[in-house]
Amino acid sequence: MKLAKLLAQADGISLHAATSDASAVEIDAITFDSRRVEPGTLFVALHGAAMDGHDFIEGAQAAGAAAILVDRARAADFEGRLDCPLLVAEHTRQALGPLSAAFFGHPADDLYLAGVTGTNGKTTISWILDALFSAEDPQSADASAQKSAPSGLLGTIEYRWGAHREVAKNTTPESLVIQRVLADMRRDGVERVAMEVSSHGLATYRLGGTHFDAAVFSNFTQDHLDFHGDMDTYREAKGRLFNRLLPASKKAGKDPVAIINLDDPAGDWFAEQARAAQVKTFTYGQSSKADWRATEVEQTLHGTRFLVRAPDESFRIRSKLMGEFNVSNMLAAIIAARSAGVSQAQIQATLAELEAVPGRMQRVEATSADARAAQPAVFVDYAHTPDALLRALETVRPLTDGRVVVVFGCGGDRDRQKRGPMGRVGVEGADVAIITTDNPRNESPEAIIDEILVGVDEVVADRVGVCVEVDRARAIKKAIDLAGPNDAVLIAGKGHENYQERDGERIPFDDVEFARAALDAKALPQEQVGQNAPKRIASWSLAKIAEAIGGRLCLDHIEDAPAPESVAALCPVGVSSDTRTLEAGELFVALRGENFDAHDFLGRADQGGAIAILVDRVDALDTQLPLVVVEDTLAGMSRLGHAIWNEARDAGMRTINVTGSNGKTTVKEMLALLWGARARVFATPGNLNNHIGVPLVLCAIPADCERLILEMGANGPGEISQLLALAPGEARVVTSIGLAHIEGFGSLDGIRRAKSEIFENPSADTAAILPFSESSNLVGPDFAGRCFTVGFEAGADLRVELLDGADARGALGFTMAHAGQEYTLHLPIPGTHHALNAATAIATLIAAGEAIDAPALNGALAKLALPAGRWRIVEQGDYYFIDDAYNANPSSTIASVQAFVSSATEEPSPRVVILGEMRELGAEAARLHCEVAAKVAEFAQVDALVCVGEFAQQMAEAASKVRTLEVAAFEDVEAVGPWLKYIVDQRGLTRILLKASRGARLERVIDLVVATGEK
């Protein structure tokens, strides 16, 4: 498009300074991102919260910008400095909408466009409208006339028309996206479009130049105050749809209509805005004052019936949608559809068949139809504001004869003011409230829950009927397990979302799928319930436990003690040593430490629902629970774990022991995936790999476990030997040898000796899997078992070679050769060390005689997702963080940097390495830190090195001696932020690796950047 033509169609933009042929300049694209400028692009300099596009004009011009648009207040700064036309608008943010509309040919003018705004209901109304807009006319005799033109939808979930689908990134996208999508819809024959209009989109002028035929107001309640600041500003933003955009649409030649919910307290205000702008206005609701009314409303678990009464017509509606709010949503959509020419018959037929909008009062049922009659009614809803939660609970309450159980939480990094009210509404509206995690983002889930509980305490002093379960999956299962056939369960907050946002990552999580899984498990006969769970200990009575560990049952302290034989027959469902995570029915183990003695807090075990307590003293104990008394509780728990493992082994379970300086957890996760495709697997949860964790894992072995993967850690000599004695495996793995925890081992040789303990007392069938480079150090020539070595070296039994093409997010390719066969494999994570980890895990399959098939291996490994702090990617504007700060030692740090500099990038960008402290290195700590810094400096791809912590200055000096690169040293993490901001402001997109031991908390660098909203 010629620039002159574009300016003629876009109001408020003028030429400030032009080249001689400015009017003939051809504009091929528009962007506000200087990195996307190409010859022929019009660059719009937007002023953002953290960055100002005017600062990037020189770069845009250098990239070939055809013209540049600036704020009028900045025009003088660039006059005479540009080789391309300089365009001026009062505010470029406000000008971008009309400019985008003009560039794409004002597509909205050729469509019937209905916009929907409101705190709640936007998605549902838009989905209903989309269905009505594309409905067939059942009363038309002409079959061809029955079919409507395809309709379009722009909403929270997706942008769609015909067979086209795009996942939505924002409820209301940027102006350029809006106009591009509308233009594509027009091209493909779409005639009617439903669009969600958010307050964010209105406040940031994204809808400028978009002309509407109808605008719906659904309701107005508290939300988004983190963005708007107060309720008046929030309301004013939504009002722009009616007092600015509709009048502009009228001026453009349309005859728009405002559709206002008069049942909402803010309805009168919104109606006044539209009427004052001389826009045709219809009100709706169940109020007698409304123009369109819903009367004779009937609701059941199967749907809703009501009568529509309008000034000139009335007709009945039958729908599968439930709830008073959905009556309101349907009524709004009906008015907009009638205004667009959709017939009564089309509306009635469509609403009768329309299924629930995903995640909006969506009914979830067990897979088996036979099981459904005996199960609770379960609903998943997006309600994430106090008002929406109240409406959802009010919908469910009259539909059940039993209890209402609600599961809900609040999102992190969002409006904190609504957390207390959410707690209050949840407790007041339900019989049982389970408070859990929503999308914590970068906040602590526990801290969010504490703020919700403030509202709970305002209503229920003793929190009767209130339960906290941080893990959302367990919360959903707990709710469904608690509910009976006449009860209803409402799972609120996430709705259609199929992920959970934690620490900058989106982890797959779908409320609907977890609810259905819980219903399916609930439907199983009792003897089958444990396919997914019961622990082997659930069949162990207290009498059997006491006998196995050399203890005795004690009831002497209990008032009105039950019969000893009845207590002896009790079976715990599990074992716990922490009252904070204790579950009802578990055996609590009262451990002692240097600074604590759990015997002093046994009352908490009573409150947590423990079935009994393992103790080593009986005097002055605050409990009325049965006791199992032993000389030492940790030793007793270890003996119990070993006894349970023995029973499982006798039943056919096989064990894989895993240790190493680096890679234990990653190899464990790989083993779980590879073996999980072949057997029922139980792997060490979290980091339960020490003298307390391993016995707890053994006590948690599921009854149907076929393969146990047991991670073993150590801080000193003899510890692996003790852990191995509890559960010696048929396969024993050492992942690597490096300088980790050297404080406890004394030297690298001390680490080798300690790790080699895993190979003690082998049988002829024992398989030792270990690095080729360390094989002679870890096993001797008299080793009775079989050895499988892994490495890049030619002599390794499993030889690994890397393929080209690793990138930052995954796609690490490698070949693995064994016994004359070669396999091409891929991992979704970068890092050459991970290729060795994968081959190490595969070696356990080979050792067990399992068939090796590359497609099957790749299918299993493709599901690999590393825990937080292990190559976690966080993108915040021009900050591209790779958080690998879960733990660190010299060898793992170098491996991490190697992966960092080897990963491919879509475009060149500077690489910054931030090194924190590596803990437990003993007297050699200073020297080792300096050696690591010097080795990092040897990587030519590293543009800057930041050293943080006690040895920072020495590390920086060591690196500077290797080569000239940008080096900085800081004593604490907080000081890194300003330095990093300067680098990113100067250089744009920057890739940043964080590497340190967990205790250094280096990830706070990311938290600081996110908290300050840096872009």
Side-chain angles (χ1 to χ4, degrees), residues 567-591:
V567 174
L570 293 175
C571 297
V573 299
V575 175
S576 174
S577 63
D578 188 339
T579 55
R580 295 170 298 180
T581 57
L582 176 71
E583 293 197 354
E586 289 187 324
L587 171 68
F588 178 69
V589 181
L591 296 177

Side-chain angles (χ1 to χ4, degrees), residues 28-73:
D28 300 322
I30 301 174
T31 185
F32 49 83
D33 186 339
S34 62
R35 295 168 298 184
R36 297 183 179 179
V37 172
E38 297 177 351
T41 301
L42 193 165
F43 174 65
V44 181
L46 297 182
H47 184 77
M51 300 183 71
D52 188 345
H54 296 82
D55 297 338
F56 298 91
I57 285 177
E58 289 186 7
Q61 181 175 240
I68 293 175
L69 174 62
V70 302
D71 283 343
R72 187 173 305 281

Side-chain angles (χ1 to χ4, degrees), residues 477 481 517-535 702-704:
K477 187 175 188 305
D481 286 346
L519 288 167
D520 288 344
K522 190 179 181 77
L524 290 173
Q526 191 59 41
E527 62 271 15
Q528 294 183 34
V529 169
Q531 295 301 325
N532 202 358
K535 298 166 184 172
D704 62 350

Side-chain angles (χ1 to χ4, degrees), residues 199-281:
S199 60
H200 291 70
L202 289 163
T204 54
Y205 304 97
R206 296 175 191 171
L207 283 304
T210 305
H211 299 139
F212 292 87
D213 296 273
V216 175
F217 164 70
S218 60
N219 52 59
F220 178 73
T221 61
Q222 181 178 331
D223 201 8
H224 305 305
L225 297 191
D226 56 312
F227 178 81
H228 295 290
D230 56 61
M231 293 293 285
D232 287 342
T233 306
Y234 179 29
R235 184 185 64 180
E236 292 291 339
K238 288 195 173 294
R240 289 180 181 173
L241 179 58
F242 302 93
N243 58 30
R244 297 191 186 183
L245 294 180
L246 288 190
S249 302
K250 190 174 182 179
K251 185 178 179 181
K254 292 197 170 190
D255 184 22
V257 57
I259 302 167
I260 309 295
N261 179 8
L262 209 57
D263 290 341
D264 189 87
D268 287 332
W269 185 89
F270 281 90
E272 288 170 7
Q273 301 303 303
R275 288 173 177 145
Q278 298 184 336
V279 172
K280 184 192 308 177
T281 303

Side-chain angles (χ1 to χ4, degrees), residues 102 221 284 305 393 477 494 598 761 774 810 847 906 943:
T221 61
Y284 70 93
R305 297 172 184 264
L393 288 166
K477 187 175 188 305
K494 291 177 57 57
N761 302 315
E774 292 287 348
E906 294 181 1
D943 298 289

